[in-house]
Amino acid sequence: MPVMADRMVELITAAFPGAGSTPVFVDGTLGAGGHTELILRADPRVRVIGIDRDSNALDIARDRLSEFGDRITFHQARFDEIGEVLTDAGVDLVDAVLFDLGVSSMQLDRPDRGFAYAVDAPLDMRMNSSETTTAADILNTYSHGDLARILSEYGEERFAGKIASAIVRERDREPFTTSARLVELLYAAIPAATRRTGGHPAKRTFQALRIEVNHELDALRRALPAALSVLRVGGRVAVMSYQSLEDRIVKREFVTRTTSTSPLGLPVELPDSAPDFRLITRGAERANDQEQAENPRSAPVRVRVIERVDEKDRA
């Protein structure tokens, strides 16, 4: 079952127009198609444009959603290429967009993809296998400074410099190819007291490598304005984030879009200074305790939703 399934269906379908119209929903991170399947079943009118950079995910989604026929089209692209995808699909404006960020359960469950640190696998981590740079390439070629930077910025790793030094020392002896050797290095580099309280010692490093391999945060920064620019009035963008770096980017963009540009302290709003969007969620919504207990992968999710209220700015 997709994370926060019922709530996401509620938040998205509330943006669909009334009877007689064909709602258009963009799943910008289609994955195996779990959320999209629920949307298609919830409203028999809806047309779905499914986007994913992972060709394996698209194959799985095509099979899963085959019963819906031409109500859904499939597009291999990054989610920040939403504008180009819509142009190719002959669509100008949409009613809802969903971004379910991070690595999918399907990718975590495929050991050969190298996303999971619990099993020994090639250090790949590419969401699109046609791209060239793998996690192994980063470990074996980046300078000490660049390794430390991505571990600190993208993994929020306290021991980034120490880990980078260990990586450089070990790769001189033998290049990194699989995850088990990296995990062993991380156990040795991170102090025992931190290992006892800070979660799995490989979690932050693997997150940092995955973000760097797939340029995830840069793509998110481009995807949000691109998605907001194609919304109809009343349309919504919903984002599911699983780590703080993503959520901060989403929060910053949404706050900017929902804040008046009138100078503070004025008794009335200046012309054309009212925001074009409003927040639907108060802060970030989370999975309830029952879902977190039944599906541990739902525990870190943060959901934010924004709605267009005015046409005037589509920059």
Side-chain angles (χ1 to χ4, degrees):
M1 179 66 71
V3 170
M4 293 182 66
D6 292 342
R7 180 57 173 153
M8 297 313 299
V9 170
E10 177 186 8
L11 287 166
I12 290 165
T13 58
F16 292 173
S21 300
T22 300
V24 179
F25 165 58
V26 179
D27 190 335
T29 48
L30 183 63
H35 286 107
T36 278
E37 180 179 5
L38 297 175
I39 297 295
L40 285 161
R41 295 196 188 283
D43 191 326
R45 304 171 300 152
V46 68
R47 173 188 177 186
V48 176
I49 296 170
I51 302 172
D52 206 289
R53 62 166 57 177
D54 187 337
S55 60
N56 293 320
L58 288 173
D59 289 341
I60 291 169
R62 281 191 187 94
D63 183 63
R64 177 178 189 163
L65 304 172
S66 59
E67 67 180 278
F68 298 103
D70 61 5
R71 292 178 61 199
I72 178 169
T73 56
F74 301 88
H75 306 265
Q76 185 175 5
R78 297 189 316 268
F79 58 33
D80 60 324
E81 296 174 311
I82 183 173
E84 294 91 329
V85 169
L86 292 178
T87 297
D88 291 344
V91 173
D92 295 322
L93 298 174
V94 306
D95 298 290
V97 179
L98 171 64
F99 296 135
D100 187 359
L101 303 177
V103 61
S104 70
S105 298
M106 174 190 58
Q107 290 164 329
L108 288 171
D109 293 339
R110 287 274 306 274
D112 59 299
R113 303 297 294 277
F115 289 104
Y117 42 77
V119 293
D120 191 21
L123 283 162
D124 192 323
M125 300 193 193
R126 292 173 297 172
M127 292 182 178
N128 180 350
S129 58
S130 68
E131 294 177 0
T132 56
T133 302
T134 67
D137 294 329
I138 291 169
L139 290 169
N140 293 322
T141 65
Y142 275 32
S143 68
H144 177 280
D146 284 339
L147 285 170
R149 173 185 57 79
I150 68 167
L151 293 174
S152 177
E153 290 182 10
Y154 298 160
E156 300 180 291
E157 173 58 70
R158 291 166 53 199
F159 303 101
K162 185 176 182 181
I163 292 169
S165 296
I167 290 170
V168 171
R169 182 174 62 250
E170 285 299 308
R171 78 187 186 192
D172 287 343
R173 184 171 64 84
E174 180 183 353
F176 286 91
T177 57
T178 62
S179 56
R181 183 165 167 241
L182 177 59
V183 171
E184 182 181 0
L185 177 150
L186 294 168
Y187 268 103
I190 295 174
T194 300
R195 296 201 308 267
R196 287 193 292 269
T197 60
H200 196 288
K203 178 180 179 180
R204 291 174 294 277
T205 293
F206 272 62
Q207 173 181 296
L209 289 170
R210 191 199 78 224
I211 290 172
E212 178 70 5
V213 166
N214 297 290
H215 308 290
E216 293 176 32
L217 300 185
D218 291 337
L220 178 59
R221 292 186 183 97
R222 294 189 296 266
L224 292 172
L228 293 171
S229 72
V230 298
L231 285 184
R232 302 181 191 277
V233 171
R236 294 180 175 183
V237 170
V239 184
M240 307 177 74
S241 306
Y242 294 83
Q243 42 100 343
S244 60
L245 297 173
E246 296 167 339
D247 187 53
R248 282 201 290 268
I249 292 170
V250 177
K251 178 181 179 181
R252 188 178 303 118
E253 180 73 23
F254 283 10
V255 167
T256 298
R257 296 299 186 119
T258 56
T259 301
S260 169
T261 57
S262 285
L264 292 176
L266 291 184
V268 295
E269 196 103 50
L270 293 178
D272 297 322
S273 64
D276 304 324
F277 297 86
R278 70 183 181 103
L279 294 172
I280 298 300
T281 50
R282 290 191 174 188
E285 291 193 11
R286 303 185 62 180
N288 60 36
D289 292 342
Q290 179 179 344
E291 180 171 358
Q292 291 187 40
E294 294 173 353
N295 178 12
R297 288 179 180 172
S298 71
V301 73
R302 303 290 187 274
V303 173
R304 297 182 188 271
V305 182
I306 194 171
E307 180 180 280
R308 178 177 281 279
V309 295
D310 198 295
E311 287 276 13
K312 70 176 184 292
D313 181 10
R314 291 194 175 273

